[in-house]
């Protein structure tokens, strides 16, 4: 598996897409709507270009810096286009996102929670992939296998627990406990050190994170997409997906910078490091398992301690963001259990 290039990863989505296509064709039975949706070409163009500019701007912010002219133009231009998109949606007769979509506090609360969860999950992914690779010397294939239990916990919690509770409890009664579990799992990962074992320190945290996400995601997505007219479902689903993904877009340069600053601050008084050593450390690279000269053992210990300290800093940020997501869900998602009164919000 390790002999394959990264391009093979792009083929992984093909069997998933084919499975989804077959399942949708066999199981989803649509009924015709009386007022079919019309294409909002201008809205589609404004929204797509605005989002593309923001994404590319965030991607360029880490290597170029937030004050770089290209980054500023992309971020400001993308935001301006999205503001024009929002105005257009209130002016056109066939909007992608009608105003009523944004007037539901439950939907707004769910989307805000998904955004902050996305930021926290980027941090978790950033730390775990680097830790497993550099501290435990896992290959890319082993890293994938090591993260499978977390994915399994998401599936089990969402299909066997959250889906069953959703008909009995108000959504926030499932979302908030789930996000508390995610925060606890992230907090466990802040204790990682150079000698942590996968089974005793990585696995418990990732299982809690996966189980908590599985609990929270199902009611969050159901609330965010509930009460939508059939002709508006596509635009709303895209908005919800964007809310989840936007957290990761913003987190990449933000927490990459926080990690670099935290590591650099801890290495202020460390001397004797080879050229490029500090730069690699600021990107989250650990050196303890690499075959370096014995003369550098002291520098390696100090550098790895600084990197692990940086991991802890950004993981605590992720804990805070996850708890903020839970707070927003608890305050804004006030819809009752579907079995109680489906129309009350």
């Amino acid at each position: 598996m390790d002999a394959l290039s990264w391009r093979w990863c792009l083929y992984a989505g093909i069997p998933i897409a084919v499975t989804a296509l077959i399942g949708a064709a066999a199981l989803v039975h649509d009924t015709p709507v009386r007022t079919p949706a019309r294409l909002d070409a201008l809205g589609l163009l404004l929204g797509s270009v605005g989002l593309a500019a923001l994404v590319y701007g965030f991607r360029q912010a880490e290597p170029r810096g937030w004050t770089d002219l290209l980054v500023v133009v992309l971020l400001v231009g993308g935001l301006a286009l999205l503001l024009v998109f929002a105005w257009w949606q209130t002016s056109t007769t066939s909007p992608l996102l009608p105003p009523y979509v944004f007037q539901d506090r439950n939907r707004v609360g769910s989307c805000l929670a998904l955004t902050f969860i996305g930021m926290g999950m980027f941090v978790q992914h950033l730390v775990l992939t680097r830790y497993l690779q550099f501290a435990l010397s896992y290959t890319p294939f082993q890293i994938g296998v090591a993260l499978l239990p977390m994915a399994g916990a998401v599936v089990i919690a969402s299909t066997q627990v959250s889906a069953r509770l959703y008909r009995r409890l108000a959504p926030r009664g499932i979302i908030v406990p789930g996000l508390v579990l995610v925060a606890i799992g992230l907090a466990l990962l802040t204790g990682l050190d150079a000698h942590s074992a996968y089974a005793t320190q990585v696995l418990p945290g990732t299982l809690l994170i996966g189980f908590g996400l599985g609990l929270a995601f199902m009611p969050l997505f159901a609330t965010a997409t509930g009460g939508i007219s059939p002709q508006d479902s596509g635009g709303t689903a895209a908005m919800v997906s964007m809310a989840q993904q936007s957290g990761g877009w913003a987190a990449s340069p933000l927490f990459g910078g926080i990690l670099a600053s935290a590591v650099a601050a801890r290495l202020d008084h460390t001397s004797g490091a080879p050229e490029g050593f500090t730069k690699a450390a600021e990107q989250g690279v650990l050196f303890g398992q690499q075959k370096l000269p014995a003369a550098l053992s002291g520098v390696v210990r100090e550098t790895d301690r600084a990197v692990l300290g940086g991991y802890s800093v950004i993981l605590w940020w992720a804990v805070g963001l996850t708890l903020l997501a839970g707070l927003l869900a608890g305050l804004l998602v006030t819809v009752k259990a579907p079995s109680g009164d489906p129309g009350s919000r």
Side-chain angles (χ1 to χ4, degrees):
M1 295 295 292
D2 296 332
L4 301 179
S5 75
W6 64 268
R7 291 177 176 82
W8 283 89
C9 298
L10 302 177
Y11 294 101
I14 294 178
I16 298 174
V18 171
T19 303
L21 178 63
I22 294 173
L27 301 176
V28 178
H29 304 289
D30 290 331
T31 56
V33 294
R34 295 180 179 179
T35 55
R38 290 186 295 173
L39 177 62
D40 178 13
L42 180 58
L44 181 62
L45 180 64
L46 289 170
S48 300
V49 176
L51 285 175
L54 280 180
V55 172
Y56 190 60
F58 282 131
R59 291 298 184 191
Q60 292 299 310
E62 189 170 1
R64 291 174 173 265
W66 290 98
T67 57
D68 181 81
L69 180 60
L70 176 63
V71 173
V72 173
V73 169
L74 286 169
L75 295 179
V76 173
L79 181 59
L81 286 172
L82 290 181
L83 289 175
V84 175
F85 167 79
W87 167 81
W88 176 249
Q89 295 306 288
T90 64
S91 304
T92 182
T93 57
S94 56
L96 283 173
L97 291 172
Y100 80 88
V101 172
F102 301 99
Q103 293 168 357
D104 187 338
R105 61 180 289 174
N106 299 285
R107 184 171 295 110
V108 172
S110 297
C111 288
L112 287 174
L114 286 169
T115 299
F116 288 115
I117 292 170
M119 296 181 74
M121 290 308 96
F122 172 84
V123 173
Q124 175 251 180
H125 178 75
L126 173 71
V127 170
L128 281 181
T129 52
R130 281 162 172 72
Y131 183 82
L132 292 173
Q133 179 181 359
F134 297 115
L136 301 186
S137 299
Y138 280 18
T139 64
F141 176 72
Q142 289 174 318
I143 292 173
V145 173
L147 297 179
L148 279 178
M150 181 170 66
V154 172
V155 173
I156 292 171
S158 60
T159 60
Q160 302 303 313
V161 181
S162 188
R164 298 172 188 269
L165 293 175
Y166 184 67
R167 294 293 172 184
R168 299 180 176 88
L169 298 177
R172 64 179 174 181
I174 310 170
I175 297 168
V176 175
L179 294 181
V180 169
L181 285 179
V182 174
I184 294 172
L186 289 167
L188 288 178
L189 295 180
T190 63
L192 293 173
D193 58 40
H195 307 290
S196 296
Y198 170 79
T200 57
Q201 288 191 267
V202 177
L203 183 60
T206 55
L207 286 176
L208 280 174
I209 292 169
F211 196 84
L213 288 175
L215 286 179
F217 274 159
M218 188 268 167
L220 277 172
F221 282 114
T223 303
T225 57
I228 296 296
S229 301
Q231 61 267 33
D232 299 325
S233 59
T236 304
M239 180 195 71
V240 174
S241 177
M242 186 274 293
Q244 183 186 16
Q245 297 297 325
S246 63
W249 302 337
S252 177
L254 176 62
F255 287 103
I258 293 175
L259 175 62
S261 298
V263 173
R266 286 165 169 77
L267 291 176
D268 272 347
H269 304 292
T270 301
S271 59
E275 184 179 355
F277 216 71
T278 301
K279 188 67 176 177
E282 291 175 357
Q283 295 175 358
V285 176
L286 294 163
F287 298 95
Q289 298 300 319
Q290 300 186 31
K291 297 178 180 179
L292 297 173
L296 294 176
S297 59
V299 175
V300 168
R301 280 195 301 271
E302 291 299 319
T303 303
D304 282 0
R305 188 178 296 116
V307 173
L308 290 166
Y311 287 172
S312 182
V313 168
I314 60 174
L315 281 168
W316 280 118
W317 272 92
V319 170
L321 289 169
T322 303
L323 292 176
L324 176 59
L327 178 63
L328 290 171
L331 294 176
L332 298 177
V333 182
T334 56
V335 63
K336 300 183 184 301
S339 59
D341 182 6
S344 64
R345 283 181 176 264

